[in-house]
Amino acid sequence: MPNTQSNRGLTILLFAFGIWGFFPVYWKTLVSVDEVEILLVRFILTALACLVIMPLRGTLVDFRKAWGQPATLKIFALSGSLLTGNWFSFIWAINTGNVLESSLGYFLCPLVSIVLGRIIFKERLSRIQWTAVLLALIGVAGMIFLAGRVPIAAIVIALSWSGYSVAKKKSQLGPVVGLGLETAILSPLAAIGLLWIAYYGQPTIPSAEPWVLGSLALCGFVTAAPLLLFAFAAPKVKMSTIGMGQYLVPSLHFMLAVFYGESVNLPVLISFSFIWAGLILFSLSETQLISKGKAVDGIPAE
C-alpha cells in the first residue's frame, strides 16, 4: 500500500510539474490580449476558482478565519504583490517570444532563494552552495553579454518568486487557501484596473476572438489546478523528489523555446551550462539538507 500511494503521488506530482512546464503553450493562446488585462483577469478568476475548490477540500473555514487575522492579511498582501510581478513577467516573456527568459528565471529561483536565505534568515551557506551561486552568476553574465541587454523578465521572475517564498515561509495555510487569499485581496484592485482600462484605455479583450475569450475564461482553474495536484501529491512523495522535480518546469520551458524557434545557439548553451552546473551542485547540497530533516520549497508560481 505505501508503494502504491508513493507511485500515485509521483504520477500526480509529475502531472502538476508538467502542467507548469507547458504553461507557455496555454499563455500563447492569449497573445492577442494585452498582458496587463490578462494579469488583472487572472487575479479575479483565480480567486473565484479557489472559492469553488476550497469547499470541496473542506478548507473554506481556514480561508474565513484568515480574514480575521490582520497579521496574516499583511503577509498575504505582500506575497500577492510579489505574485503580481511574477505573473506579469512570466506572461510578458511568453507573449513576446521570450520563453527562454522564463526558463532562465525559474532555473535561477533556487539559487536566488539561497542568497535570500543567507541575507534575511542568516542561513549559513556551504562552499558547494557559494560555488553554485557563482556558477549561476557567470551563466547570467554570459546571457547578458550575448543578448546585449539585461534579461529583466528572468531576473524579476527569480526575485519575485524567491521573495514570494520568503513571504510565505511563516504561513501555515495550504497552497489553494493561500492562493485564494492572495488573489481575493488583490481582486478589487484588479477589477478597478479593468474598469479604468475600459473607460480610459484601449482594451483588447472586447475585440478578441471567441476562442481566445474561452481560453481566457479558463485561466483561474488553469492556475489553481496544478497547485491542487501538488498539494495532493506532496505528502505521498519524498522531499528529494519534490526538490529535483521542480527543475522539470524550466527544462520544459527551455525545450519549448527551442520548439518556438528562439535563438538557442552554442554560446547560449554554454551560458546555460554554467547555470545547470550550479543547479547540480545546489541539488547535492539540498540532498544533504534533506537527509538532515530540512525541507525544500519548490512550488512554481507561474
Side-chain angles (χ1 to χ4, degrees):
M1 184 66 68
N3 287 336
T4 301
Q5 289 185 347
S6 178
N7 291 336
R8 182 183 301 172
L10 178 60
T11 300
I12 295 174
L13 181 71
L14 291 176
F15 189 49
F17 282 132
I19 293 175
W20 278 317
F22 283 104
F23 254 14
V25 177
Y26 168 74
W27 293 112
K28 275 190 173 292
T29 65
L30 305 176
V31 68
S32 62
V33 181
D34 181 77
E35 291 85 3
V36 174
E37 293 175 65
I38 295 175
L39 176 68
L40 299 177
V41 170
R42 187 181 186 185
F43 265 101
I44 296 171
L45 294 185
T46 299
L48 293 175
C50 289
L51 287 174
V52 171
I53 294 171
M54 282 186 284
L56 301 178
R57 289 176 51 82
T59 55
L60 187 59
V61 63
D62 297 327
F63 178 78
R64 289 173 176 171
K65 287 181 179 179
W67 283 99
Q69 301 170 351
T72 299
L73 292 177
K74 288 179 182 179
I75 292 174
F76 279 87
L78 173 61
S79 62
S81 299
L82 291 168
L83 195 61
T84 301
N86 184 273
W87 281 1
F88 180 77
S89 299
F90 177 75
I91 294 170
W92 177 89
I94 302 307
N95 286 9
T96 57
N98 290 282
V99 180
L100 199 62
E101 276 202 43
S102 73
S103 174
L104 176 61
Y106 283 109
F107 270 127
L108 289 174
C109 282
L111 302 175
V112 174
S113 294
I114 290 178
V115 176
L116 290 181
R118 176 68 181 90
I119 295 173
I120 298 174
F121 299 108
K122 309 301 180 184
E123 297 173 353
R124 298 182 62 183
L125 302 184
S126 66
R127 291 182 179 179
I128 292 179
Q129 289 175 323
W130 277 121
T131 303
V133 173
L134 178 61
L135 287 171
L137 288 175
I138 293 174
V140 173
M143 292 295 293
I144 292 174
F145 176 78
L146 291 171
R149 65 179 180 85
V150 177
I152 295 177
I155 292 174
V156 173
I157 285 172
L159 289 176
S160 59
W161 169 242
S162 299
Y164 179 83
S165 299
V166 170
K168 296 292 287 288
K169 190 176 178 65
K170 298 181 180 180
S171 171
Q172 300 299 316
L173 296 180
V176 176
V177 177
L179 180 64
L181 188 59
E182 290 159 347
T183 51
I185 290 172
L186 294 179
S187 285
L189 294 177
I192 293 172
L194 286 174
L195 289 174
W196 189 93
I197 293 173
Y199 281 98
Y200 300 105
Q202 295 180 335
T204 58
I205 291 178
S207 60
E209 297 288 337
W211 68 269
V212 175
L213 295 177
S215 183
L216 181 61
L218 294 174
C219 71
F221 284 101
V222 169
T223 299
L227 271 175
L228 183 62
L229 293 172
F230 182 91
F232 178 83
K236 298 176 174 59
V237 298
K238 296 179 179 179
M239 286 302 301
S240 56
T241 304
I242 296 175
M244 293 303 296
Q246 67 177 311
Y247 301 127
L248 177 64
V249 176
S251 297
L252 289 172
H253 289 184
F254 187 90
M255 292 172 57
L256 286 173
V258 176
F259 176 79
Y260 288 130
E262 295 185 26
S263 179
V264 186
N265 51 30
L266 182 59
V268 169
L269 289 175
I270 292 175
S271 296
F272 263 91
S273 69
F274 279 96
I275 299 171
W276 291 328
L279 287 174
I280 291 172
L281 291 178
F282 167 76
S283 299
L284 291 174
S285 68
E286 285 292 87
T287 301
Q288 294 175 353
L289 290 176
I290 292 166
S291 66
K292 295 178 182 179
K294 298 181 180 180
V296 177
D297 183 9
I299 308 176
E302 295 170 353

